[in-house]
Amino acid sequence: MNQLGFKRKLGAFLLAAGMILPAFTQAEVLTYSWPTNAGPLDPRGYSPNQMYAQAMVYEPLVRYRADGSVEPWLATHWDISPDGLIYTFTLRDGVRFSDGSVFDADAAKTNIEAVMANRKRHAWMELVETIDHVETPDANTLRLILKHPYYPTLLELAQVRPLRFAAPDAQPGRPVGTGPWQLVESRRGEFDRFARNPYYWGPRPVYDEVLVKVIPDPSSRAIALETGQLDLIQGSEGEVSADTFERLKGKGYHTAISAPLATRVIALNSNLAPTNELAVRQAINWAVNKDAIVKHVLYDLEPRADALFSTNLPYTDIGLKPYDYSPDKAREALEQAGWVLKSGEKIRYKNGQPLRLELCFYGANALQKSVAEVVQANLGSLGFDVVLKGEDEGALVERQRDGRFGMIFAETWGAPYDPHSFVSSMRYAGHADYQAQKGLPMKAMIDQEIGEVLASVDEDKRQTLYRHLLTTLHEQAVYLPISYLTATSVSRDSVENVQFGSTLFDVPFEVMKPAGN
Amino acid sequence: MLRYIAYRLALLIPILLAVSLLVFVLLHMGRGDPALDYLRLSQIPPTDAALAEARHTLGLDRPLAEQYLVWLWRALHLDFGTSFVTGRPVLDDLLYYLPATLQLGGAALAVTLLVSLPLGIWAARRPGRWPDQLVRFIAFFGVSMPNFWLAFLMIALFSVLLGWLPPMGRGGLEHLVMPVLAVALMSLSINARLLRASLLEASGQRYVLYARLRGLPEGQVWRRHILRNAWLPVVTAIGMHVGELIGGTLVIETIFAWPGLGRFAVSAVYNRDFPVLQCFTLLMTGLFVFCNLIVDVLYAWLDPRTRLEGAQVC
């Protein structure tokens, strides 16, 4: 009887399971991973708030596009006053926060004023310092009044933080935004679960949920993908290593490399011998075999960089002539500048001084070390004596601050900071760029032009200024561009339409689809 | 005995104090700057102003001695500060992750004992014969194999190739198998060999010979005369293994995405999360000292000779 009872129970269970299971399997979940939890998701908070997650939950007035322009988002239209001081935005109708409350001019104003109340914290973003006050003529119109003209205003409004919008009446600590997703569950050290925002104004995401598992180790992440625990790996900070990327590609997983998002460069110090000579800086640019670096060190994951900024960024497609790999040209330039290699010697000398310089890099970064070794070998074959200095980050920052480097590794800040924020920082001591440019005879003019370009309200004038500025830096060879940083993605068959965000910091889950959908 | 335990617990105070000072000094001797890490994690361009603001927010702009004293004063009130990275109270985070680590470490300790004891006895009963050789091979393998490497090999075989076990996360028993084996193998190997040596030494003693001469059954000789005496070094070793197992979880938790203390601490090392590292070291020191205290008490209970000595010391 017992057995019969068990069979009946089993039958009933299977029947019930059969009815319930389809309901479960219908929920489409995209699994992704991140090294840490998403954080409390304060729209204006920095670490531990993760930007990919803030970008899922909170939306900007205008959105950054991959070509460097902005498109309407929570604002459908905007006008800029001729003097560049007043930005008037028409807000999108029918936008609601994920708790059902309405997004209007007052909600937007509350958020922007919350940022302004904490200016010091957000001082790195020039716009925060530049906004004088906010006006709301009506429920659908928002007006920003600036202290002085600042052309990157729209670009900075597009950034993931701090100028995005949370529901002003949400309970403290509860993340409520207008974005396609809402955070519904978070388990420390394990996962964060995002569900669709039922009130979302835009196209409904196809996935019901995005489950983000906490996996700090890149090897473990790759294994998770291979064993079906993850659908997608995507990121720009080594979320998957170059050789693992190749291996997974070879195994038939879908792989993709994004358009250039930032630049890996080596800054050359124009204020310190021997790189204070233009001929030496140019020779370095001709002497380094970037193609070999890209192929053997970067496994072709990053394209070769020929200029400080990639041409897909605004104002940077100005036809700069690349320094081609040409040891002969480099040798000739050095000879003409008086750097002589005596027979039987390995190092060039000029007036009794050796052609010696330090190349400083972050010692724990294996990739920088490999690149540094190639540079050392390339330059060494031409009579340079390159001393490699692998140090910790703090030591490197000190070197950047006081200019104690011959060559030093750097990265541009990437979209949407490039070129305007990066160029802006060149004016401040404490940056490698400032120190590298300090010895240029036209440094004062460069700094002045940067100030002018940021305040310029005339598009043509801005392009002219950028052209002059970037051409000068290029011709003065204060940078040795190596490659353009990219984001990479590896995905299983289970997910389709995998795309990259337009910046280093967002992943467009809302456009991804389950296979066969 | 109670006085002895109280004495040992009281000793914990200077130990913890010394460890906290040592860790504080070591952390600040490194040239890395937590403020810089904070900015990196926040994706804030490291301008001078941003660095100064971050140092201020994190309390790093005060003199070192003051930083330590403030930390110490708060620590005495069980306030170990706020994590630079998670923004939560450090103790809250550590206690949250502690159970997962205790589960992993406890299971590993249990496996160590359950497997090494039979193996050690088996090898000692047949010295030089094939069981002994087999145990020796297992022990060599276990001691020579770095635990993270074993972890990856197991994942490659059982998760990727065969699909039997989940490669990560915390859940049912199946999640526990590989991490526990990876953590336990080394302690298990050492323990088996130690027990074997200890058993063989004890079985060569005169009292064993006399026991046999008295005509005691072989089983009884082993149980009452050899095993009881051979226990002692093994019990001491187990105290050491606790440290080894906790150390093992540091790396293994990261590989298996096990949401425990070890993984949290490894992230804290990467990000120079000083408050977390300070508190973590103290917690681990306390745990280690406490486990050794238990072992010592156990030792005294097992061996009347040390009990007498202990009583005299007290």
Side-chain angles (χ1 to χ4, degrees):
Chain A
M1 192 205 97
N2 261 348
Q3 207 180 357
L4 192 66
F6 175 72
K7 275 187 181 166
R8 265 192 205 148
K9 275 182 193 161
L10 184 70
F13 172 75
L14 287 179
L15 193 68
M19 289 191 295
I20 295 164
L21 274 178
F24 273 119
T25 48
Q26 272 167 13
E28 297 284 3
V29 181
L30 175 69
T31 45
Y32 179 67
S33 73
W34 198 251
T36 61
N37 277 108
L41 296 194
D42 168 359
R44 293 171 280 278
Y46 297 96
S47 174
N49 296 279
Q50 301 301 307
M51 290 175 93
Y52 86 87
Q54 285 169 309
M56 290 170 80
V57 172
Y58 303 109
E59 293 184 300
L61 287 175
V62 293
R63 201 163 78 151
Y64 188 85
R65 279 203 292 227
D67 63 359
S69 65
V70 292
E71 60 181 331
W73 209 249
L74 290 182
T76 51
H77 178 78
W78 56 90
D79 282 313
I80 306 170
S81 65
D83 59 4
L85 287 176
I86 302 170
Y87 283 67
T88 309
F89 296 91
T90 308
L91 301 185
R92 188 178 291 277
D93 269 332
V95 175
R96 283 174 184 275
F97 290 102
S98 59
D99 63 356
S101 61
V102 177
F103 168 77
D104 58 10
D106 280 334
K109 185 179 180 212
T110 309
N111 276 275
I112 295 175
E113 286 181 341
V115 173
M116 289 161 61
N118 230 329
R119 277 185 208 264
K120 216 172 162 193
R121 191 171 179 211
H122 309 293
W124 64 273
M125 183 188 261
E126 234 160 298
L127 177 61
V128 175
E129 295 285 348
T130 311
I131 298 175
D132 184 74
H133 66 279
V134 188
E135 291 174 0
T136 52
D138 61 60
N140 271 337
T141 311
L142 181 78
R143 203 172 274 158
L144 294 186
I145 290 89
L146 306 188
K147 294 175 189 160
H148 52 81
Y150 183 59
Y151 98 80
T153 296
L154 292 175
L155 291 172
E156 299 201 347
L157 282 172
Q159 290 182 8
V160 174
R161 60 196 180 195
L163 291 165
R164 291 200 177 187
F165 306 96
D169 304 327
Q171 289 166 4
R174 230 188 109 216
V176 179
T178 60
W181 306 100
Q182 52 177 337
L183 180 66
V184 288
E185 192 187 356
S186 190
R187 204 177 289 171
R188 243 185 274 182
E190 294 185 56
F191 62 81
D192 297 290
R193 202 154 58 81
F194 296 85
R196 262 200 315 251
N197 168 6
Y199 297 97
Y200 190 53
W201 58 271
R204 196 176 116 108
V206 182
Y207 275 105
D208 299 300
E209 285 185 0
V210 179
L211 181 68
V212 184
K213 300 184 178 179
V214 177
I215 306 177
D217 181 55
S219 315
S220 306
R221 188 173 300 124
I223 292 162
L225 185 88
E226 285 183 84
T227 51
Q229 311 253 324
L230 292 182
D231 293 317
L232 170 73
I233 299 178
Q234 187 180 109
S236 56
E237 295 194 346
E239 274 71 14
V240 54
S241 67
D243 49 343
T244 308
F245 183 87
E246 282 299 302
R247 184 172 65 80
L248 293 174
K249 191 176 172 184
K251 281 183 137 183
Y253 292 96
H254 301 282
T255 54
I257 301 170
S258 76
L261 294 168
T263 317
R264 198 185 287 286
V265 296
I266 295 176
L268 312 180
N269 194 341
S270 66
N271 199 31
L272 194 75
T275 37
N276 57 347
E277 291 181 34
L278 176 61
V280 173
R281 298 197 299 271
Q282 285 176 330
I284 291 173
N285 266 276
W286 280 313
V288 173
N289 188 351
K290 296 177 201 172
D291 285 331
I293 293 175
V294 164
K295 186 156 186 250
H296 300 295
V297 181
L298 303 168
Y299 292 84
D300 286 320
L301 289 191
E302 297 179 7
R304 186 186 74 228
D306 289 325
L308 178 60
F309 295 115
S310 129
T311 51
N312 60 342
L313 293 166
Y315 309 111
T316 57
D317 193 4
I318 50 174
L320 295 173
K321 190 173 171 292
Y323 291 89
D324 295 321
Y325 172 56
S326 169
D328 288 337
K329 265 192 194 170
R331 201 171 290 124
E332 199 183 331
L334 290 172
E335 295 283 347
Q336 277 184 4
W339 291 98
V340 190
L341 187 64
K342 287 184 189 151
S343 63
E345 294 219 18
K346 285 187 173 170
I347 303 172
R348 286 175 190 271
Y349 281 86
K350 178 179 175 180
N351 304 331
Q353 292 298 315
L355 186 53
R356 178 174 297 144
L357 69 165
E358 288 181 338
L359 171 51
C360 308
F361 64 98
Y362 178 32
N365 186 325
L367 202 139
Q368 283 192 3
K369 183 162 182 272
S370 305
V371 173
E373 282 164 355
V374 177
V375 171
Q376 184 187 39
N378 283 164
L379 295 180
S381 68
L382 287 174
F384 279 87
D385 179 16
V386 178
V387 183
L388 298 189
K389 292 270 181 189
E391 293 173 324
D392 66 52
E393 279 177 308
L396 284 181
V397 167
E398 277 168 33
R399 282 182 182 273
Q400 291 177 10
R401 188 175 307 255
D402 50 27
R404 275 182 302 112
F405 61 88
M407 304 196 275
I408 195 162
F409 275 82
E411 283 170 15
T412 66
W413 297 350
Y417 304 115
D418 287 347
H420 70 274
S421 296
F422 189 74
V423 166
S424 170
S425 78
M426 290 174 180
R427 292 175 293 173
Y428 304 113
H431 286 265
D433 308 279
Y434 177 84
Q435 295 294 343
Q437 296 167 15
K438 202 170 161 189
L440 297 181
M442 65 292 280
K443 176 62 177 160
M445 186 203 73
I446 289 175
D447 287 358
Q448 191 194 336
E449 279 189 353
I450 293 172
E452 279 176 40
V453 80
L454 292 176
S456 154
V457 288
D458 176 8
E459 181 72 27
D460 288 338
K461 188 184 168 203
R462 206 180 297 150
Q463 179 69 68
T464 311
L465 283 166
Y466 265 124
R467 176 183 295 274
H468 188 248
L469 186 67
L470 297 179
T471 307
T472 307
L473 291 176
H474 188 76
E475 285 173 352
Q476 288 298 320
V478 275
Y479 293 99
L480 169 63
I482 301 288
S483 63
Y484 294 123
L485 293 163
T486 53
T488 49
S489 100
V490 188
S491 54
R492 294 178 69 86
D493 287 336
S494 51
V495 53
E496 286 176 357
N497 202 32
V498 172
Q499 295 187 17
F500 290 103
S502 49
T503 70
L504 288 166
F505 314 112
D506 55 320
V507 186
F509 298 109
E510 65 278 8
V511 301
M512 298 183 194
K513 295 173 183 165
N517 192 289
Chain B
M1 181 61 88
L2 279 177
R3 277 184 63 193
Y4 175 66
I5 294 176
Y7 168 72
R8 287 287 302 265
L9 284 177
L11 212 57
L12 202 57
I13 295 169
I15 292 178
L16 289 180
L17 211 59
V19 165
S20 77
L21 186 63
L22 186 72
V23 171
F24 185 86
V25 169
L26 283 178
L27 284 177
H28 286 87
M29 260 167 60
R31 292 187 68 194
D33 186 347
L36 209 63
D37 287 288
Y38 173 80
L39 292 183
R40 178 173 55 79
L41 291 172
S42 299
Q43 305 284 2
I44 298 179
T47 58
D48 281 1
L51 260 177
E53 173 69 12
R55 287 206 182 97
H56 180 69
T57 313
L58 303 178
L60 292 163
D61 52 351
R62 300 192 219 162
L64 268 189
E66 188 187 327
Q67 282 185 44
Y68 178 71
L69 289 176
V70 168
W71 176 84
L72 190 65
W73 178 248
R74 290 195 182 146
L76 288 175
H77 298 79
L78 289 183
D79 170 11
F80 292 90
T82 311
S83 159
F84 291 169
V85 176
T86 71
R88 270 190 297 264
V90 170
L91 199 62
D92 175 57
D93 266 339
L94 289 181
L95 292 179
Y96 181 87
Y97 290 118
L98 186 63
T101 296
L102 288 183
Q103 184 194 8
L104 183 58
L109 187 63
V111 167
T112 300
L113 293 177
L114 286 178
V115 178
S116 68
L117 298 188
L119 278 185
I121 295 171
W122 193 38
R125 296 286 299 251
R126 293 163 185 79
R129 307 247 308 272
W130 72 266
D132 191 23
Q133 304 288 6
L134 181 69
V135 172
R136 182 175 296 149
F137 175 77
I138 293 173
F140 268 125
F141 178 81
V143 172
S144 327
M145 175 76 80
N147 57 9
F148 63 89
W149 180 237
L150 176 71
F152 280 124
L153 287 182
M154 283 196 293
I155 290 174
L157 180 64
F158 295 115
S159 299
V160 180
L161 206 64
L162 299 172
W164 290 351
L165 293 169
M168 64 190 50
R170 187 177 175 214
L173 201 63
E174 70 274 18
H175 286 91
L176 211 57
V177 178
M178 290 196 288
V180 164
L181 273 182
V183 174
L185 188 67
M186 176 167 321
S187 306
L188 183 159
S189 305
I190 296 174
N191 226 22
R193 289 291 292 171
L194 189 70
L195 182 62
R196 172 196 174 271
S198 185
L199 284 171
L200 285 181
E201 195 196 331
S203 60
Q205 297 290 333
R206 285 197 168 180
Y207 53 77
V208 174
L209 181 67
Y210 296 149
R212 286 199 174 118
L213 288 177
R214 290 204 321 267
L216 285 179
E218 189 61 14
Q220 206 173 345
V221 173
W222 269 88
R223 249 192 341 269
R224 295 188 55 179
H225 295 277
I226 302 180
L227 270 178
R228 272 200 83 164
N229 284 292
W231 274 138
L232 301 170
V234 176
V235 169
T236 313
I238 287 169
M240 298 292 158
H241 290 324
V242 170
E244 235 169 63
L245 294 174
I246 290 172
T249 58
L250 284 183
V251 180
I252 296 304
E253 284 183 357
T254 307
I255 294 175
F256 288 100
W258 186 267
L261 262 187
R263 197 180 65 163
F264 187 59
V266 169
S267 306
V269 172
Y270 277 128
N271 299 320
R272 294 196 178 82
D273 196 343
F274 287 179
V276 169
L277 291 175
Q278 288 266 39
C279 188
F280 174 75
T281 337
L282 284 191
L283 197 65
M284 288 298 119
T285 311
L287 202 66
F288 190 68
V289 171
F290 187 69
C291 287
N292 271 299
L293 176 63
I294 293 179
V295 166
D296 286 353
V297 171
L298 213 65
Y299 202 90
W301 176 67
L302 282 173
D303 188 350
R305 289 169 298 181
T306 50
R307 202 169 354 176
L308 277 176
E309 267 175 48
Q312 278 161 5
V313 167
C314 297

